[in-house]
Amino acid sequence: MSELENFRGQNPAWCPGCGNLQILRTFKMAMVEMGLEPHELTIVSGIGQAGKFPHYTRCNTFNGLHGRTLPVAQAIRLANHEMRVLAVAGDGDCYGEGGNHFLSAMRRNLNITLFVHDNQVYGLTKGQASPTTDEGMITGTQPFGVLYEPLNPIALAVAMDASFVARGFSGDQDQLRGLMQSALEHKGFAFLDILQPCVTYNKVNTFQWYRERCYPVGPEHDPGDRVAAFRRALEFGERIPTGVIYRSERQTLEERIPVIANREPLVQQPFSPEDMAGELQKFF
Amino acid sequence: MSELENFRGQNPAWCPGCGNLQILRTFKMAMVEMGLEPHELTIVSGIGQAGKFPHYTRCNTFNGLHGRTLPVAQAIRLANHEMRVLAVAGDGDCYGEGGNHFLSAMRRNLNITLFVHDNQVYGLTKGQASPTTDEGMITGTQPFGVLYEPLNPIALAVAMDASFVARGFSGDQDQLRGLMQSALEHKGFAFLDILQPCVTYNKVNTFQWYRERCYPVGPEHDPGDRVAAFRRALEFGERIPTGVIYRSERQTLEERIPVIANREPLVQQPFSPEDMAGELQKFF
Amino acid sequence: MDYTIKIGGQAGQGLQTIGAVLAKLFARSGFHVFTHQDYMSRIRGGHNFYQVRFADHEISASRKAVDILVALDKNTVAEHLGELSPFGLVVYDSETVREKYDGENLLDIPFRQIAMDAAGNRIMENTVAVGAVLGMLGMDLETLDELLAETFARKSREVVDQNLAAAKAGADFARANCGQCNFSVNIPGLAAAQEKGAAADVSAVAPRRMLMDGTSAVGLGALASGCRFYAAYPMTPSTGVMNFMAAQSGRHSLVVEQAEDEIAAINMAIGASYAGVRSMTGTAGGGFALMVEGLSLAGMTETPVVIFVGQRPAPATGFPTRTEQADLLYILHAAHGEFPRVIMAPGNPEQAYYLTGKAFDLAEKYQVPAFIISDQYLADTEWTLDALDPSKINYQDYRLRAGDLAKLADYRRHAYTDTGVSPLAEPGASHHLVVTDSDEHDQDGHLVEDAETRVRMVEKRLLKKLPLIRDQISPPLLHGDENPETVIVGWGSTYGVIKEAVDRLGEKHSIAMLHFSEIYPFPGTGKFDYLEVLRQAKLTVCVENNATSQFARLMRAETGFVFNKLVNKFDGRPYLLEELLDELGEPGMGGPGKTSPEKGGPGMGGPGKTSPEKGGPDKPGGFGRSPKHDGSGEHDV
Amino acid sequence: MDYTIKIGGQAGQGLQTIGAVLAKLFARSGFHVFTHQDYMSRIRGGHNFYQVRFADHEISASRKAVDILVALDKNTVAEHLGELSPFGLVVYDSETVREKYDGENLLDIPFRQIAMDAAGNRIMENTVAVGAVLGMLGMDLETLDELLAETFARKSREVVDQNLAAAKAGADFARANCGQCNFSVNIPGLAAAQEKGAAADVSAVAPRRMLMDGTSAVGLGALASGCRFYAAYPMTPSTGVMNFMAAQSGRHSLVVEQAEDEIAAINMAIGASYAGVRSMTGTAGGGFALMVEGLSLAGMTETPVVIFVGQRPAPATGFPTRTEQADLLYILHAAHGEFPRVIMAPGNPEQAYYLTGKAFDLAEKYQVPAFIISDQYLADTEWTLDALDPSKINYQDYRLRAGDLAKLADYRRHAYTDTGVSPLAEPGASHHLVVTDSDEHDQDGHLVEDAETRVRMVEKRLLKKLPLIRDQISPPLLHGDENPETVIVGWGSTYGVIKEAVDRLGEKHSIAMLHFSEIYPFPGTGKFDYLEVLRQAKLTVCVENNATSQFARLMRAETGFVFNKLVNKFDGRPYLLEELLDELGEPGMGGPGKTSPEKGGPGMGGPGKTSPEKGGPDKPGGFGRSPKHDGSGEHDV
Ligand SMILES: Cc1ncc(C[n+]2csc(CCOP(=O)(O)OP(=O)(O)O)c2C)c(N)n1
Ligand SMILES: Cc1ncc(C[n+]2csc(CCOP(=O)(O)OP(=O)(O)O)c2C)c(N)n1
Ligand code: SF4
Ligand code: SF4
Ligand SMILES: [Mg+2]
Ligand SMILES: [Mg+2]
């Protein structure tokens, strides 16, 4: 039976007040509500504060390299398409070091879920700018303030036609729980960007800052309209839309690869060395 | 004086009929029309058929690694912002191996130009799918056909707010020459995706195929309207818009870094080891 | 009997088809065959060649001397005329080549015209060329018929017939016009069988041998080892393995993913392996550069993974389509931190097949990354070989699956054990959680920072496992004299040429080859004291296809042994037999006195290269002196 | 006089401030200072410490024995109480720590309360602690006043005064309540000066020394070498250099770019260098994994670039904030293909400064990549040192600029020359085109595929340059007995601890340190026959902060020399002085007989580790036996 206690892991080493703590709590509640047990999910995480996430709960876990969550997560799914796979990354992890994998994962459209704990800063390495850091923010590495335009992950995902694109805020746990569940239940690549205060290094985008700006998109928003979704995605400043911004149902990759489509997972398919005797014959 | 003869390089080793040949010719004409001399431009290229480009003309050249044109090109510009820098990449180069740099370069917005010779296939390595290969195309590596949704570079660039986003077709040399010149003259990161037949490995997107579909966007299209540009960018199929799709003027990075903004290029700033004696003092 | 046919021309002219058909045909006819290819990094034009050698005895290298040169363009004549053996001939079509040559040893055959006349189709001109070669050799077309039927099995009989007609016309023309032709090709065993009165045909008498290239051998080895997942990014000379696997993925339980880059490729391979399937990635040296971080991840998480690296001349992009052996020390030391790895460097397709199997077995058993190092030369050369045996590959599933896991009360992914090998479970197959981490972790796989766990984990992961893996490594192969005065040492793809050189020289000298194909953990001397063999020898020569004698350096680091002669080639081309013989000079005579390791000065991978003694042994076939492509003495990068 | 103060607590409690102020204060007071830090990979909480040692004689390592332990939390008391020296004391605030300890050696000082009382502000509690330490040591607050004034120069005098009041109150409290305090700290030279009657204060008499950490030293060395461009991606323990450079970029002609990943970072550094400016990148071992391909690009295009690598315990993410020396062979062999490189491994901040300068000089002169290898330990340790001299760094612009180029009729980027070094021109500075290529290229930099050019380019790029670079390399440093019976060998950051251990042991024994800081090209014996010193010694010990004795392995590969004792530590922590002394046992007596290289079995980096002899030399300060964190005999990855 799925119970909160089942998901208790190491004591989090995050700073008190860190948005990650809320995300963690919400995740556990979502798991319990969905009736999932720890072994039914594999969490793949990267390196960063967000990357520590799986150690603070209990699931199958592959905590890999900085920036490389998605290739690992996707391959796990290809090898075992009966396993639910959740990739957990930081904004630096996913949009910085791992940007190329993010692009590819959206195109590949495997049935996996991605949470990006987006605190708009590099937390673990002590406060350098991340791709989503606001222009002008001064850091030890950006003494003249950030001079680039921030990356807009939602707009990017809409442009890449990702099949589920949503934004949550760690401070709105009710909405967030729902988004987590929708993402985990969506068939296809589901991307959830979670705005999360970093109380130590991000003095610009604070809890208060997010709280004042985030608003849930209403029923008038049609997540099936790509251009509308793009227009909505461009909103990030005085107002920040949360909720499901874009959704496009299409076949997942595991449904399209003949060897595994409508078959048992690769990991369960039988093997015997004799299977390939026929291949050897061709060389005579 | 700028003359075509000045830009003659090695004999191209491309296949007869390859779209690269037209791009090369058009480029040389653009250079001559703009009155540029070979030493006034540095071409940075990657590896692939497109990567051979600079050897078939004459300019300063850094032919680097597969996928890594943009970091090199950007750094050259940072070191010498009086040098014109042109990055030449293939679609695999830029959207595959180098995807992460592409994202960053658009945010950084240095005043450089990027040509992507987009033949929707990996030419040099003999015909595997590239990120822009159409769904369903069968290759030696994709025996069941390409199972991913192709990447839409124009939509992606609009989502990233690249400051100049255009598409050309190697078969329309007049338009292409104009686009090349606009891109080279644009202040900021200028991105030109050039559709180019690969006569050997891409039997789907042939010269004819492009010819029938490509149409120049008319004056009704406002490249300053990001949402309209996005809508236009989504067109790729029966009709393919060419021309300048999106344009957003903003400060370039070299205008924002105090050490070089409004100053001579870094490479010309004087240095003497004594300059840093003051720094040593701080350690007493 | 030992003939070499070289087909030269531009990319896109179809010379690979001609070469491949001839090679297969000779193999089917019962000959030993060896082929090698040389091509430029371009799709059309340029200059490429395909060299096919066949003989009635074992062969394992290409010769420089060419008996029949099929020239598809003018350039081929210019480049290779000088390579003709004393009775050698050039055959060409003056219409295609746009040149008419004088000279007794140049035979103009109108391939294109014959194709039009005999089959009504220009595209059969290459088939005419194949026929012409067979005609020149005096062979009949029985086996070709069979081959054409197979090749065009999916097309109509008409296509087969047209091709055969074209070939026959080519053969007839050649027989009629080749006054100079002086080849005698006897199908092994055929005459004897026919004497016995049986209506024996070639396929009945010829020994059944496979014709296989290194690429296919690696792919087959992986398949036979239960490889289920292959992720890669295309890069010469590794793309062949990827394509081979992709082709299999329709027929076998195998997913092949083209990754967005090499970083993704190795991380995918690791992910799939974590999920419970055997997995592999492949690349060239430059692509492997992007996998180095992932390699370290495999080391830390103890995730089995097999990595195929096709070497090519570098640094950087280098020569994309050519060959070199310059990534050994790089692969051996790649990645931050210390963890065990396995390195196999097969010398021929047979070894490539079995050692790929062994790489999988060791990777899975010890939960470490295992490499197969190859190069363009091994990838492309084809060899005849006896039937490969799938059952000789040790296949054992070392992982805990649902059944095993159900029985366990407790499971810890990184549990301390006597061997250092912890139980590897399939995630999701039971309630036991499978947790691993790229950070230092505890037995449960969760991240820790304390010194004590660190030390125990290093002991477990590295210090305990390494000696156990070493015990599984086979010693190098000694071939030739058992108490040799001269020992020629090599590793990986130089196997064939060294072996054949040693066989030749062995006719007059006390000489042996010592070949290393299982390179790391470096073989101990317990099973075979190869160091003793080296110490007893008067002359020890290390032959490598690189500039800095990397293996010699490794040998010194591992054993203290220092060679007294280093032979290097680093022009992007493999050693031809004559070249190596020439480099070796008169073994046992030349070479400086043995330098004791004590005397080796610092900063040197060994003593400077000695200039090879003049002149090679005088053999039929005409051993020309090869241009020297070797570096001078001081080099030790 | 030789005291150690350790400040322990949680991340975020400000222990770094306390440590840094004390260190600077002791340095300003004329003492020799050495500090080291230990922290977990987290921003708040956990357990960190900062250790400050100061003495009236040269010191270069941390001791295990602590004289004053400033405990900011309970955990610190629990973890470190056992480290107290015989007269050692713990000082803590029972309010913060939430525990009141009994025991004579635990002094409860209400830091927080005193801060509130004296300065009206809780945040001064750390200043109170600094004052308390000074009070316990019996030092006056003159130098602190000066320091506080500097630190808060931008704030109001009020802030300075408040801080000073807090410190004074802390000192007063400590003086009044520390019955056990038994320290005697005499400012060097002060008494003497005062006797002479002058109104001498500390700043007048104290020798002027710098207090510097390894990170700043590398940054300063780069600045002094004309580094103009620094591109990197943050990664511990290299981020410090990046931040140092970023801070300078406002004041100097220097652009610092945070790249999107390490691949971009090195390609940017190469691009900037191609464009004509000196450039550098920096990372840790794991980030360097992603730079390996770029390294090869620098090698092929002969583009000068300096690469700083801060090692940390690995594989993979490992221990992000701790120390190890396990990336030497990896860095040495990284990247496909063969090309020269330079590797510097400084042992202290002074070396870090000058060798960074030398790395730039060699990189530019020979157009090769040059490395500075450091680790978390060297990055963070602070040392007192004599003034660094900018003029001792050789700065010379080897590039062709507009003026030089105007005079040239012809220019070829990769022209063949006697030295292998081709002219390196600034693109755009003239009509001459600067063309280079990652493919094999001709003298003009354009891509080619022929064998002959390849061979000449390898000769030019690699074989000619390498010996010339080697000539520039300084031999290892011999410190101690000139004809030592025992030689302790180390490289990089173990310099300080080995030196101090050798100094100690040298009082009774014939012993010396041989320290390698210029590692590659491996130093020849021409300038100093260090091999002879090793051969003459009875006992040779190689001390490394890794599990597999990588340097010992390199030594064997380069020189054939085999150590007869290997000492390793791989728990992520540096050697403390007592630990090393303990490992060394009684030198000259212990250790097995010298194993000759000939006898070293294959597959071993050297003979197995010998168990250290019992008991270290008996010195005041109490040398406890350290737990053994060393691997057992067989290890040779
Ligand atoms: C290859 C590599 N480069 C750099 C690092 C250092 N590093 C660890 S986490 C991190 C960034 C963390 O930022 P983010 O992903 O936003 O996560 P957060 O800590 O903010 O949750 C960096 C740069 C690394 N571990 N590996
Ligand atoms: C790191 C690395 N991976 C792979 C390759 C092999 N490679 C060279 S070019 C290329 C793809 C070429 O495709 P594209 O960029 O579209 O260029 P095109 O040849 O089509 O112009 C690949 C995969 C390489 N050189 N380096
Ligand atoms: S540094 Fe920021 S992201 Fe990291 S734990 Fe602290 S508050 Fe959270
Ligand atoms: S393979 Fe394609 S892209 Fe390459 S040269 Fe030929 S036609 Fe052009
Ligand atoms: Mg973050
Ligand atoms: Mg392409």
Side-chain angles (χ1 to χ4, degrees), chain B residues 5 51 89 98 106 183 238 247:
Chain B
E5 196 47 33
M106 292 189 273
E238 285 318 297
R247 193 178 228 141

Side-chain angles (χ1 to χ4, degrees), chain C residues 225-253:
Chain C
S225 305
C227 176
R228 288 303 170 84
F229 187 86
Y230 190 94
Y233 187 84
M235 187 163 189
T236 312
S238 68
T239 315
V241 174
M242 185 179 185
N243 286 345
F244 181 91
M245 297 303 267
Q248 304 301 327
S249 67
R251 291 189 287 274
H252 299 280
S253 290

Side-chain angles (χ1 to χ4, degrees), chain C residues 218 222 227 229-231 241 269 278-282 306 308 356 360 372:
Chain C
V218 169
C227 176
F229 187 86
Y230 190 94
V241 174
R278 293 196 169 192
S279 84
M280 181 171 179
T281 181
V306 173
F308 170 76
T356 299
F360 269 99
I372 302 144

Side-chain angles (χ1 to χ4, degrees), chain C residues 129-206:
Chain C
V130 170
V133 169
L134 297 180
M136 290 169 77
L137 291 170
M139 291 176 72
D140 73 25
L141 302 191
E142 178 190 331
T143 308
L144 181 62
D145 189 6
E146 191 187 300
L147 266 179
L148 290 171
E150 280 173 29
T151 310
F152 299 109
R154 296 230 198 108
K155 309 214 169 170
S156 64
R157 179 71 218 177
E158 202 191 328
V159 175
V160 178
D161 289 342
Q162 282 175 345
N163 270 286
L164 198 62
K168 199 174 163 313
D172 291 346
F173 189 101
R175 271 190 216 105
N177 294 282
C178 189
Q180 304 297 322
C181 280
N182 194 10
F183 304 102
S184 92
V185 176
N186 297 314
I187 305 290
L190 189 60
Q194 283 169 340
E195 261 170 34
K196 284 203 196 122
D201 64 358
V202 176
S203 61
V205 298

Side-chain angles (χ1 to χ4, degrees), chain C residues 600-631:
Chain C
M604 304 279 300
K609 175 163 191 316
T610 36
S611 61
E613 299 300 301
K614 292 261 160 175
D618 214 20
K619 296 270 165 193
F623 291 164
R625 268 186 75 77
S626 65
K628 283 287 154 299
H629 293 312
D630 36 31

